[in-house]
Amino acid sequence: MSSRSSYSCFSCFHLFLLVVLALFCLCSSNQNSHCNDVERQALLRFKHGLIDESQQLASWVAENKDCCTWAGIACDNSTGHVHLRRSLEAEMKGDISRSLLDLKQLKHLDLSCNDFGGIQVPKFIGSFQNLRYLNLSRSNFSGTIPPQLGNLSELHILSLGSFHHPSETTSMVNMKWLSSLGMLHHLDMSGVDLSKATDWLQVINTLPSLVQLYLSVCELSNLHMYVPSVNLTSLSVLDLSQNYFDSAVSQWIFSVTSLVSLDLTECRLHGPIPSFRNLTSLELLHVAENDFMNSSSIFQELSSSNLISLDIGSCGISSSLLDSLQNLTNLISLDLSGNQLTKRIPKSLGNFCNLREIDLSYNNIGNISLTYFLESFFECKSSALESLSLSENYITGIIPHSIGNLSFLRTLDLTDNQISGPFHTQLDNYHHWRSCILGQTDWMASFLIASDNFQS
């Protein structure tokens, strides 16, 4: 799946307002801090417009005049200006008060992972001209993203991603205002409807400082095949997943030689594809459900890469193509699900001794015993494998005693196969299996085997 930024929400319940009023060093203690009274009143009015069902803001009261001691707040020891201490963990509802405008030195504003009931992103947020960080993602906004955000010329981080909230329907018709944000390093608009923003790439190309770009599920349809010059020389993360371009792969993507992470999952892209040879820094490549990967030349190019995560699920790939990947010994995650790995197990699997998770489900491998299949992983002196999915492959035989050699295995999925034999007897013979299922040891947290797999 797609990689997400560290600036995104930590969980669906992560809350709230993170306020930075100056670029001062945060003191480790607030004992001598006293918050600014104007800022304290502004925060109280802001709280008044919110619905705090979990009472996370119970300490935000007028009687407690030192807002530096309030939940989620810390203050600079010298100035008393509000600074982040920690984030709260509850979803807030209600309105966003204009009282925040009294926070004249605001540099960091995080309103992510809340439920604002489908209101439009407030236009007055564009008045915080000192903002360096703005996160409005996953908070149930709707309507057009206001172009007033283009006034935030000091922004380094802008996160407007909405796709995690089922009712959130934000959109942008014209993206030109983004061109004013020349200092932007991180831009996340995942889930924002950009179907009418035909100039999206031209605008993005005016942001030379951009390092991370997330445009997943944006209803983009034009990948722009001919781009005279690409100025994204600092870009390391590009996520265009789940946009149905249904076109050939554009050359401009492969001219961004600084890329470390590239996600083109479910983009319906076709070959021929430009060369991967220039993407020498690439570590994450997710291209599931595209047909351009079904090429021996592509796999030969990737064989000399430094990939640690590779998702090529549902790409029409056969076992013989994978043999050229045997040099990818740094791989930690590999998804080969939904391909055509029939009758023969790729020899390259025996070289992936650092692999922690592999998904080989839905390949209809058929007529291969589980014992034979697992032999590839036993070639490693110490396999790091933690998760193995082999569902719907019609694999036969019993679960071999030797599976206990996979000492780090946490998850094994064998649903819809032809596994037979006295499985429960095997468990009785291996006390560590029984204790793992009971959660008494740390080598297996879950064991996903449907009961209808086993024949008496």
Side-chain angles (χ1 to χ4, degrees):
M1 102 143 266
S2 309
S3 136
R4 289 287 179 261
S5 160
S6 60
Y7 300 106
S8 298
C9 306
F10 298 118
S11 71
C12 290
F13 303 104
H14 167 224
L15 172 297
F16 186 49
L17 174 70
L18 311 178
V19 187
V20 177
L21 295 175
L23 291 177
F24 296 100
C25 295
L26 181 62
C27 229
S28 59
S29 170
N30 287 327
Q31 293 179 354
N32 298 320
S33 299
H34 299 285
C35 72
N36 182 293
D37 187 62
V38 173
E39 295 168 2
R40 181 175 66 88
Q41 294 297 331
L43 291 173
L44 286 173
R45 293 196 300 273
F46 173 68
K47 176 195 173 182
H48 183 72
L50 298 174
I51 300 173
D52 180 20
E53 296 176 346
S54 63
Q55 294 296 303
Q56 291 279 307
L57 306 183
S59 61
W60 290 35
V61 292
E63 292 77 13
N64 184 355
K65 294 187 179 298
D66 189 1
C67 64
C68 299
T69 64
W70 293 357
I73 299 296
C75 298
D76 181 88
N77 195 50
S78 300
T79 67
H81 286 314
V82 174
H83 198 115
L84 166 68
R85 183 173 71 191
R86 68 179 186 272
S87 58
L88 305 175
E89 296 182 355
E91 185 181 80
M92 306 292 288
K93 300 178 181 179
D95 298 319
I96 302 173
S97 172
R98 292 179 62 89
S99 67
L100 291 179
L101 289 173
D102 287 339
L103 306 178
K104 301 297 185 181
Q105 302 301 317
L106 195 65
K107 287 183 169 63
H108 188 125
L109 179 62
D110 189 335
L111 296 172
S112 62
C113 297
N114 292 293
D115 184 359
F116 292 114
I119 65 172
Q120 187 179 22
V121 173
K123 296 178 181 178
F124 71 78
I125 291 180
S127 300
F128 296 115
Q129 295 187 13
N130 292 311
L131 272 185
R132 306 291 193 272
Y133 178 108
L134 177 60
N135 190 349
L136 304 177
S137 61
R138 299 167 65 177
S139 285
N140 195 13
F141 290 107
S142 65
T144 303
I145 303 294
Q148 285 82 357
L149 298 187
N151 295 330
L152 307 177
S153 58
E154 299 296 318
L155 269 186
H156 290 180
I157 298 162
L158 175 60
S159 185
L160 303 173
S162 63
F163 68 94
H164 285 287
H165 201 294
S167 62
E168 195 158 6
T169 55
T170 52
S171 63
M172 290 175 63
V173 177
N174 189 323
M175 294 177 60
K176 289 183 179 179
W177 59 265
L178 277 170
S179 298
S180 303
L181 309 182
M183 300 178 67
L184 209 59
H185 293 171
H186 171 100
L187 177 60
D188 184 356
M189 294 196 293
S190 300
V192 178
D193 183 354
L194 301 179
S195 58
K196 296 182 180 179
T198 57
D199 60 344
W200 70 271
L201 183 55
Q202 290 90 332
V203 172
I204 295 299
N205 205 22
T206 65
L207 303 174
S209 298
L210 203 60
V211 176
Q212 298 176 329
L213 175 61
Y214 299 92
L215 296 178
S216 177
V217 200
C218 286
E219 300 190 38
L220 298 171
S221 58
N222 188 350
L223 194 54
H224 296 276
M225 299 303 297
Y226 305 104
V227 182
S229 176
V230 178
N231 299 320
L232 303 173
T233 56
S234 299
L235 193 67
S236 67
V237 177
L238 176 60
D239 184 353
L240 296 174
S241 61
Q242 299 184 61
N243 290 291
Y244 301 124
F245 296 112
D246 195 18
S247 69
V249 184
S250 179
Q251 174 66 46
W252 71 264
I253 295 176
F254 295 86
S255 66
V256 185
T257 57
S258 55
L259 281 180
V260 175
S261 173
L262 175 61
D263 194 339
L264 300 174
T265 301
E266 295 183 38
C267 286
R268 297 182 182 177
L269 297 173
H270 319 301
I273 187 173
S275 174
F276 277 96
R277 293 189 186 279
N278 293 329
L279 303 185
T280 56
S281 299
L282 201 62
E283 295 182 358
L284 183 147
L285 178 61
H286 289 184
V287 289
E289 299 192 35
N290 294 284
D291 61 22
F292 63 80
M293 290 297 294
N294 191 11
S295 166
S296 58
S297 61
I298 291 177
F299 282 93
Q300 289 172 0
E301 290 180 0
L302 291 176
S303 66
S304 59
S305 68
N306 295 310
L307 288 175
I308 61 175
S309 179
L310 177 61
D311 183 352
I312 46 178
S314 301
C315 287
I317 295 168
S318 63
S319 295
S320 59
L321 286 176
L322 295 177
D323 288 340
S324 58
L325 296 182
Q326 60 185 346
N327 293 328
L328 296 183
T329 55
N330 292 326
L331 272 180
I332 294 175
S333 175
L334 177 61
D335 191 334
L336 296 169
S337 61
N339 282 296
Q340 300 172 15
L341 310 183
T342 58
K343 298 182 180 179
R344 186 173 69 83
I345 305 303
K347 297 178 182 178
S348 54
L349 292 184
N351 291 12
F352 301 152
C353 294
N354 292 314
L355 202 63
R356 296 179 185 172
E357 56 181 6
I358 182 170
D359 189 346
L360 291 158
S361 58
Y362 302 100
N363 269 290
N364 296 324
I365 293 174
N367 200 29
I368 292 179
S369 72
L370 181 59
T371 302
Y372 173 75
F373 189 93
L374 292 174
E375 286 179 355
S376 296
F377 299 104
F378 297 150
E379 293 181 17
C380 299
K381 291 182 178 179
S382 178
S383 174
L385 196 64
E386 298 177 3
S387 175
L388 173 60
S389 180
L390 297 171
S391 61
E392 296 204 27
N393 277 306
Y394 303 102
I395 294 173
T396 61
I398 64 172
I399 297 178
H401 298 171
S402 55
I403 198 171
N405 295 332
L406 301 177
S407 56
F408 292 101
L409 196 64
R410 301 299 196 267
T411 302
L412 175 62
D413 188 348
L414 294 173
T415 54
D416 294 323
N417 283 292
Q418 304 298 320
I419 306 300
S420 60
F423 177 65
H424 296 290
T425 301
Q426 293 177 29
L427 284 181
D428 288 339
N429 291 336
Y430 288 88
H431 298 294
H432 59 291
W433 280 38
R434 181 190 299 160
S435 61
C436 293
I437 292 174
L438 295 174
Q440 294 176 356
T441 67
D442 60 2
W443 80 280
M444 184 178 285
S446 59
F447 199 74
L448 308 177
I449 303 180
S451 59
D452 59 357
N453 287 341
F454 302 99
Q455 303 170 359
S456 58

